[in-house]
Amino acid sequence: MEKQKNREGRLRRLLIVWVLLAVVMATAITVTGTSILSSQIRKDREQTVTGAAKLAAAEVSSARVNEWLENGKDAAYAQTFERLKDILENTPYLKYLYVYQIREDGCYVVFDTDPEEPGNLGDVQEFDESFLPLVPDLLAGKSMDIMESNDAFGWLMTKYEPIYNAKGECVAYAGADISMDEITHYTRNYVILIVSIAAVFLVVCVLIGSRMQISSHKAGELERLREQQQRDKQLLREIIESFAKVIDMKDSYTQGHSSRVAKYTAMLAKELGYDEETVEQYYNIALMHDIGKVSIPDQVLNKPGKLTDDEFDVIKSHTVRGQDVLKSISLMPDIVVGAEAHHERPDGKGYPKGLKGEEIPRVAQIIAVADTFDAMYSDRPYRKRMNYDKAISIIHDASGTQLTEDVVDAFMRLAEKGEFRAEDDVGGGTFEDISNIHKNQEKE
């Protein structure tokens, strides 16, 4: 009886430790992740508003500013106005774009693209009180640092870019205002996600602790314990599958991607001869391979057009971010390698560490093949899936360089049996060539 009480006491203490660790981990991830997310969004906004102001300044003829203010609009003015409107409409989150000439008595409107209340050419806007400290530097034609304001116009980040004439004189300023309101929205969603994940793991800890206490009372009921362990295993899998759906919901272009990659990974692991327990483990690891994308800003992750080099670097950081999220999960220590290493390549040209050949964890080698195939053979809002035979051919050609050779061999054996072909595939699909699978399909 005394031993039984001691055993139950140890279980209770262990359960308390698990709960405390989960709370500490969730708090640390939330604080750190929120800080990183806010910093990244702010940096993105600074780059965007600066670029918009510079583009606007480059579009305005410095030699014509005074002429327009004196004589009014002409054809060149109308063309410039349309180009400024294009900059406003095609720059994410840019709210206002305008060109003012700063004089002693106020701001003289040269261009104002505000779609709701545009200022007219030559209108004079008096200086606000908050604007007065900037006037001396603006009159002197100095380059201005980025500013922030939060007033009736909203939370804005503003950049004034001087427009110089041939003599080096500042004839006007191009001003750009970008909205910062989304930071609160993104941060709130991130906190909700992390708290949800922590809550689920707390539930798992409580369930496991409860089951362990039950088993300590009924040590002789071995079969019942095995059945309960199987149910707990199924519960853990369902929880991880739910997390995978949350990950895919974050990226509007890749719905169902994590589940399909996990399915293909299990098929490949089985073909390679792994036992059922390992196949199950690899399936769960593959489900979480893109967990790092939850901290990628929406305007980068869901950008429909071509990514800039800086945006591409942000996308690539999802491997390291995923590793940071998963590294503290002691119940499944191997779950981290799928998130961290699924973009490594046998030829050493992958990321984040540039691992080569057998340096790449086995499960990551398998996920890479599954991930690459699904990137090509699935519909996206911006393109149809690739032709099945074309996708298979690209996988074959990537063997030994971008993808591990024996995993590709297993893939080809299954492909010959039609295992990867979708039920609704009756032929067709795009034949667009992809010269660099991982870079061109990085959003997947």
Side-chain angles (χ1 to χ4, degrees):
M1 181 61 71
E2 188 64 29
K3 291 182 178 179
Q4 181 71 18
K5 289 182 179 180
N6 291 337
R7 188 182 299 113
E8 292 178 1
R10 287 195 298 270
L11 288 174
R12 282 194 295 270
R13 288 192 294 272
L14 180 59
L15 181 58
I16 292 172
V17 170
W18 283 352
V19 172
L20 290 176
L21 286 175
V23 171
V24 170
M25 184 180 72
T27 303
I29 291 175
T30 301
V31 173
T32 303
T34 300
S35 175
I36 293 173
L37 180 61
S38 298
S39 175
Q40 184 61 52
I41 294 176
R42 184 175 293 278
K43 180 180 177 182
D44 291 340
R45 292 292 194 277
E46 289 176 354
Q47 293 174 344
T48 301
V49 75
T50 300
K54 288 182 179 294
L55 282 174
E59 292 292 346
V60 178
S61 172
S62 61
R64 303 295 300 278
V65 170
N66 289 325
E67 181 181 335
W68 286 329
L69 287 171
E70 292 174 7
N71 302 325
K73 303 176 182 178
D74 56 15
Y77 181 95
Q79 292 174 356
T80 303
F81 187 81
E82 290 302 317
R83 289 196 293 271
L84 293 178
K85 283 177 61 179
D86 287 341
I87 295 173
L88 176 66
E89 293 169 359
N90 290 285
T91 303
Y93 306 107
L94 193 63
K95 198 167 184 180
Y96 304 109
L97 187 66
Y98 44 88
V99 178
Y100 291 162
Q101 186 178 81
I102 310 300
R103 300 183 188 177
E104 295 282 354
D105 57 341
C107 300
Y108 283 69
V109 175
V110 183
F111 294 96
D112 188 346
T113 62
D114 187 344
E116 297 180 359
E117 297 182 5
N120 296 315
L121 175 63
D123 285 353
V124 182
Q125 298 185 3
E126 296 182 357
F127 298 131
D128 291 333
E129 248 184 71
S130 60
F131 197 78
L132 291 175
L134 306 176
V135 173
D137 287 340
L138 291 169
L139 289 172
K142 293 183 179 181
S143 179
M144 307 296 292
D145 293 331
I146 291 174
M147 297 167 286
E148 284 190 38
S149 59
N150 197 348
D151 50 29
F153 296 100
W155 185 11
L156 300 175
M157 180 180 286
T158 301
K159 173 64 178 176
Y160 292 113
E161 184 67 22
I163 302 173
Y164 297 111
N165 62 18
K167 298 179 181 180
E169 300 168 336
C170 179
V171 297
Y173 279 88
D177 296 331
I178 196 167
S179 174
M180 299 290 285
D181 292 328
E182 292 80 6
I183 289 182
T184 302
H185 171 73
Y186 292 142
T187 302
R188 182 177 63 250
N189 286 349
Y190 179 78
V191 171
I192 291 173
L193 178 63
I194 295 301
V195 170
S196 298
I197 292 174
V200 173
F201 275 107
L202 281 173
V203 171
V204 172
C205 289
V206 172
L207 286 173
I208 292 175
S210 298
R211 299 310 176 190
M212 291 176 67
Q213 285 185 318
I214 292 173
S215 66
S216 69
H217 283 291
K218 302 179 179 181
E221 301 179 14
L222 182 59
E223 186 60 30
R224 180 174 177 178
L225 175 60
R226 288 175 179 172
E227 291 175 359
Q228 187 59 55
Q229 288 175 336
Q230 186 61 36
R231 286 194 293 271
D232 288 345
K233 184 178 180 181
Q234 180 64 28
L235 174 62
L236 182 60
R237 177 168 179 170
E238 290 171 358
I239 291 171
I240 293 176
E241 288 175 342
S242 296
F243 287 167
K245 291 178 181 178
V246 171
I247 296 167
D248 288 347
M249 288 171 62
K250 169 76 173 178
D251 187 347
S252 63
Y253 291 127
T254 57
Q255 295 295 319
H257 172 67
S258 297
S259 297
R260 291 191 300 271
V261 170
K263 174 185 173 183
Y264 298 151
T265 297
M267 292 167 61
L268 290 168
K270 188 173 182 180
E271 177 66 20
L272 288 165
Y274 290 100
D275 57 42
E276 289 185 8
E277 183 176 352
T278 302
V279 171
E280 175 77 7
Q281 180 187 19
Y282 283 10
Y283 177 90
N284 290 335
I285 292 173
L287 278 173
M288 302 296 282
H289 78 283
D290 272 344
I291 185 69
K293 288 185 177 179
V294 299
S295 64
I296 300 295
D298 288 353
Q299 71 271 22
V300 176
L301 186 64
N302 293 320
K303 182 178 179 180
K306 183 179 179 181
L307 296 173
T308 65
D309 289 341
D310 288 340
E311 290 170 337
F312 184 60
D313 288 337
V314 173
I315 289 287
K316 291 199 297 184
S317 71
H318 79 276
T319 55
V320 177
R321 296 173 189 233
Q323 187 260 351
D324 287 339
V325 171
L326 299 174
K327 64 184 179 182
S328 300
I329 301 178
S330 59
L331 292 177
M332 293 183 63
D334 292 334
I335 199 169
V336 69
V337 299
E340 181 185 23
H342 68 280
H343 283 294
E344 299 287 0
R345 295 171 37 154
D347 59 9
K349 297 180 180 180
Y351 61 87
K353 295 182 178 179
L355 302 178
K356 292 183 179 180
E358 295 306 313
E359 294 175 349
I360 305 172
R362 187 57 166 167
V363 65
Q365 296 175 359
I366 299 173
I367 292 174
V369 175
D371 189 37
T372 300
F373 176 70
D374 188 69
M376 296 182 291
Y377 190 62
S378 55
D379 290 330
R380 298 287 181 265
Y382 53 86
R383 63 156 173 81
K384 290 293 185 181
R385 68 187 174 200
M386 183 175 288
N387 174 271
Y388 179 77
D389 293 329
K390 175 69 174 178
I392 298 300
S393 174
I394 291 176
I395 295 291
H396 178 269
D397 292 342
S399 178
T401 54
Q402 292 176 266
L403 303 172
T404 302
E405 186 173 354
D406 70 322
V407 182
V408 172
D409 292 342
F411 178 89
M412 298 306 297
R413 290 195 298 272
L414 292 171
E416 288 175 1
K417 302 174 186 177
E419 294 290 338
F420 296 106
R421 187 186 293 272
E423 292 181 1
D424 62 346
D425 188 349
V426 294
T430 178
F431 282 81
E432 177 185 3
D433 190 23
I434 298 178
S435 59
N436 186 319
I437 298 170
H438 284 293
K439 184 168 184 179
N440 286 325
Q441 301 296 335
E442 185 57 45
K443 287 185 180 181
E444 276 78 315

